[in-house]
């Protein structure tokens, strides 16, 4: 069984209790941990947890930063190979744990995420309302984090969810597109989850138009064809823009005294509103309340959608894909910065790799903090002294420029320390020494243990292979042909390829 944790961002709505109760009833291999991320801006009463889950649940507070930031806070506090994201308004089926175990077992090494099958129960005996039909669309949504398991490695290397998305809309599609562009695959599992329709206010559909700003951000970072790749559709926004333009033209023409133009534009706007209202009213229950609500909101939605769309375009015009440039670059020494001379204690044998100085100078000029993380088991084996190692490191700095931190493991491979790569100790210590969050670091090395240490610590990584790099170490790693390309990746200017063969 692949170990997994569950992360649930929540505003502690009444639906959370039903979600937790369903997890308490489910059978199968349980999670190692359930992290509830309380995203209420000012906090509130303590979350009530069913007794069956008390030993599994941890509650952390994200203070109103939005679901994307809340999910990041949650998964970064776990250590399992898989993280399952649930919304706080879903109810899992009784065999959910068992079905999840099967889904994760079937996922091969190329699969970054496995989506659950979402069902939205609609009321029997009557046609669904507009709000209910919108919610039912979740059953067709691709990569919805209402129930989606992600491999930790993929989350680490993608930088998690884009925290510029302030609401539960499009942040899941954004992550899916970035993960797939990074060389991973996504699949759909067999486990099933119910997503009941939440009670809604009269203004719910109007407030939902703020999501148009998120669509603008998606266009900025993924291109205008992102809908096709994400399995989404543009929806009615082109019509909303046309209705708003016609209404604005009618108002402007009336002020200018051009009555004929104002009348024609006004009729066009009203015709558009009428068609929109009819499309929402006819499939529904058509009771008095629903009809009145649809007529009123159909008049207000087009300008609201247009306002949020253009506002989003203005705010995101210079946006780049998440997570953007790293803050720090942590580099292996031998084989990455300088030629690998086994157990070298002689500074006269230090020879930089071609292009290393130019790559590091670029990193420094662009504000990247630099550190070295290096296994030096020759110290434990008595092949050189601490003074010899210090002399070699000084020579590296003379040739390649200064590094702010040096973290070295002096232990042998059988000493069982927490610092020798592939353990995360060197990476976490270097990040702490720089005062940089570990997920804002990129680790560059030439062998698989460098990549494994980065992943274990929660940092992104780039492998720059050499003749000593084993073929199996390349599988699933982000690879670059040289150090300069790795630096450009850390700066957000290159993608790096992932190798699976």
């Amino acid at each position: 069984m692949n170990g997994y944790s569950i992360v649930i961002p929540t505003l502690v709505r009444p639906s959370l209790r039903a979600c937790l109760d369903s997890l308490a009833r489910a059978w199968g291999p349980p999670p190692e941990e359930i992290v509830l991320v309380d995203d209420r801006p000012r906090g509130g009463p303590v979350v009530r947890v069913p007794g069956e889950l008390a030993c599994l649940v941890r509650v952390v507070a994200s203070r109103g930063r939005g679901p994307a930031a809340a999910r990041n806070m949650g998964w970064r506090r776990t250590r399992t190979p898989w993280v399952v994201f649930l919304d706080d308004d879903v109810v899992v089926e009784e065999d959910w744990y068992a079905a999840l175990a099967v889904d994760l077992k079937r996922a091969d090494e190329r699969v970054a995420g496995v989506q659950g099958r979402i069902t939205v129960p609609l009321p029997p005996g009557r046609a669904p309302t507009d709000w209910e039909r919108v919610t039912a669309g979740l059953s067709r949504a691709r990569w919805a984090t209402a129930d989606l398991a992600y491999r930790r490695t993929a989350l680490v290397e993608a930088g998690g969810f884009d925290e510029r998305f302030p609401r539960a809309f499009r942040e899941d599609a954004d992550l899916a597109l970035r993960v797939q562009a990074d060389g991973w695959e996504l699949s759909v599992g067999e486990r099933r989850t119910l997503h009941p329709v939440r009670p809604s206010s009269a203004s719910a559909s109007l407030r939902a138009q703020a999501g148009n700003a998120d669509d603008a951000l998606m266009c900025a970072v993924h291109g205008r064809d992102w809908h096709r790749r994400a399995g989404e559709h543009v929806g009615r926004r082109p019509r909303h823009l046309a209705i708003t333009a016609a209404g604005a033209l009618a108002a402007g023409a009336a002020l200018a005294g051009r009555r004929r133009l104002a009348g024609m534009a006004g009729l066009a706007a009203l015709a558009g509103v009428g068609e929109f209202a009819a499309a929402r009213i006819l499939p529904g229950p058509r009771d008095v309340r629903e009809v009145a609500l649809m007529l009123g909101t159909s008049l207000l939605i087009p300008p609201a959608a247009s306002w949020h769309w253009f506002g989003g375009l203005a705010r995101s015009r210079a946006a780049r894909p998440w997570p953007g440039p790293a803050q720090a670059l942590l580099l292996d020494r031998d084989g990455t910065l300088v030629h690998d001379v086994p157990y070298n204690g002689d500074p006269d044998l230090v020879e930089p790799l071609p292009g290393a100085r130019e790559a590091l100078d670029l990193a420094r000029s662009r504000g990247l903090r630099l550190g070295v993380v290096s296994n030096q088991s020759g110290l434990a084996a008595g092949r050189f002294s601490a003074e010899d190692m210090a002399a070699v490191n000084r020579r590296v700095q003379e040739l390649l420029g200064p590094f702010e931190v040096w973290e070295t493991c002096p232990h042998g491979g059988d000493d069982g320390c927490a610092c020798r790569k592939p353990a995360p100790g060197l990476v976490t210590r270097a990040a702490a020494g720089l005062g940089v969050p570990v997920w804002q670091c990129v680790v560059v090395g030439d062998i698989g243990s460098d990549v494994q240490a980065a992943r274990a610590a929660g940092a992104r990584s780039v492998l720059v292979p050499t003749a000593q790099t084993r073929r199996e170490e390349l599988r699933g790693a982000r690879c670059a042909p040289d150090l300069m390309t790795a630096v450009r990746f850390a700066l957000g200017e290159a993608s790096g390829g992932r190798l699976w063969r």
Side-chain angles (χ1 to χ4, degrees):
M1 169 61 187
N2 291 288
Y4 71 97
S5 302
I6 297 174
V7 172
I8 306 175
T10 182
L11 295 174
V12 195
R13 300 175 292 196
S15 59
L16 175 63
R17 185 55 188 262
C19 176
L20 294 177
D21 285 344
S22 71
L23 289 169
R25 292 191 301 268
W27 57 270
E32 294 186 17
E33 184 177 24
I34 298 174
V35 181
L36 294 180
V37 188
D38 183 348
D39 198 39
R40 291 175 292 182
R42 295 178 179 83
V46 176
V47 177
R48 296 177 58 191
V49 178
E52 299 90 336
L53 300 179
C55 62
L56 296 177
V57 171
R58 176 163 47 136
V59 181
V60 297
S62 52
R63 300 295 180 184
R65 295 171 57 202
R71 291 192 188 100
N72 283 344
M73 176 177 284
W75 75 260
R76 285 173 178 149
R77 280 164 170 71
T78 66
R79 288 292 177 265
T80 49
W82 288 89
V83 181
V84 185
F85 297 99
L86 293 177
D87 284 349
D88 70 351
D89 53 358
V90 302
V91 176
V92 303
E93 295 200 344
E94 290 190 357
D95 66 345
W96 188 81
Y97 290 142
L100 172 64
V102 174
D103 287 346
L104 300 186
K105 184 177 181 180
R106 289 176 177 172
D108 68 30
E109 64 179 350
R110 303 187 185 198
V111 173
V114 186
Q115 183 177 1
R117 296 180 183 269
I118 306 297
T119 301
V120 179
L122 295 176
R126 66 165 174 82
T129 64
D130 179 70
W131 177 252
E132 290 166 344
R133 291 194 305 274
V134 169
T135 304
L138 286 170
S139 63
R140 302 182 298 274
R142 294 174 64 186
W143 324 133
T145 43
D147 180 356
L148 185 54
Y150 266 110
R151 197 182 293 272
R152 167 177 298 282
T153 298
L155 289 170
V156 167
E157 297 194 345
F161 292 87
D162 187 337
E163 298 181 11
R164 294 171 297 184
F165 289 94
R167 70 202 113 246
F169 190 71
R170 301 305 191 207
E171 83 291 353
D172 44 13
D174 166 77
L175 177 59
L177 289 178
R178 286 188 287 114
V179 164
Q180 291 176 100
D182 209 18
W184 297 93
E185 298 174 1
L186 298 173
S187 66
V188 178
E190 296 300 325
R191 67 188 186 279
R192 295 186 177 274
T193 302
L194 298 180
H195 192 300
V197 179
R198 295 198 313 267
S200 66
S201 66
S203 62
S205 60
L206 188 62
R207 288 185 283 106
Q209 301 312 308
N212 284 277
D214 299 338
D215 278 358
L217 178 56
M218 290 291 287
C219 286
V221 298
H222 295 291
R224 292 194 173 272
D225 69 335
W226 72 266
H227 295 89
R228 175 186 58 79
R229 289 180 281 122
E232 297 286 349
H233 53 82
V234 177
R236 282 186 164 266
R237 184 167 54 247
R239 298 187 188 188
H240 292 335
L241 295 173
I243 291 170
T244 304
L249 177 60
L255 290 174
R258 300 181 64 181
R259 296 182 179 178
R260 181 178 177 82
L261 178 59
M264 293 175 60
L267 286 174
L270 287 174
V273 169
E275 184 275 333
F276 178 39
R280 301 172 73 204
I281 292 170
L282 292 177
R286 298 196 291 276
D287 57 42
V288 173
R289 182 183 182 279
E290 178 76 359
V291 170
L293 182 61
M294 293 301 98
L295 289 174
T297 55
S298 294
L299 185 64
L300 297 174
I301 283 175
S306 302
W307 171 264
H308 287 295
W309 169 251
F310 286 115
L313 287 177
R315 290 190 296 273
S316 61
R317 62 185 181 276
R320 295 198 296 177
W322 184 267
Q327 293 184 26
L329 196 64
L330 306 179
L331 304 115
D332 177 51
R333 192 190 77 179
D334 303 319
T336 301
L337 295 174
V338 298
H339 285 281
D340 186 3
V341 178
Y343 301 116
N344 183 27
D346 184 353
D348 291 336
L349 297 180
V350 174
E351 181 183 357
L353 286 167
R357 179 66 193 238
E358 292 78 5
L360 296 174
D361 285 346
L362 173 65
R364 295 184 184 102
S365 70
R366 300 287 289 276
L368 280 177
R369 313 280 296 278
L370 299 183
V372 176
V373 287
S374 178
N375 289 347
Q376 293 297 326
S377 59
L379 198 60
R383 304 293 291 270
F384 52 78
S385 66
E387 292 75 16
D388 294 333
M389 183 178 70
V392 169
N393 290 343
R394 284 195 298 273
R395 182 56 176 162
V396 172
Q397 293 205 113
E398 290 172 2
L399 295 171
L400 296 178
F403 296 89
E404 293 184 60
V405 296
W406 286 78
E407 289 293 343
T408 301
C409 171
H411 306 104
D414 298 326
D415 289 347
C417 67
C419 54
R420 180 178 173 81
K421 296 179 289 186
L426 293 181
V427 176
T428 55
R429 280 178 5 205
L434 292 171
V436 173
V438 72
W439 56 85
Q440 291 284 6
C441 299
V442 172
V443 176
V444 182
D446 64 313
I447 59 176
S449 62
D450 298 310
V451 174
Q452 294 171 39
R455 290 173 173 174
R460 290 179 286 162
S461 62
V462 182
L463 189 68
V464 182
T466 66
Q468 282 69 47
T469 310
R470 299 194 303 271
R471 186 177 183 84
E472 60 268 23
E473 294 175 320
L474 303 176
R475 289 190 63 82
R478 178 185 286 109
C479 297
D482 50 44
L483 185 56
M484 179 63 80
T485 304
V487 168
R488 292 195 180 280
F489 167 78
L491 294 171
E493 298 174 358
S495 61
R498 193 176 301 282
L499 300 181
W500 291 108
R501 296 183 180 180

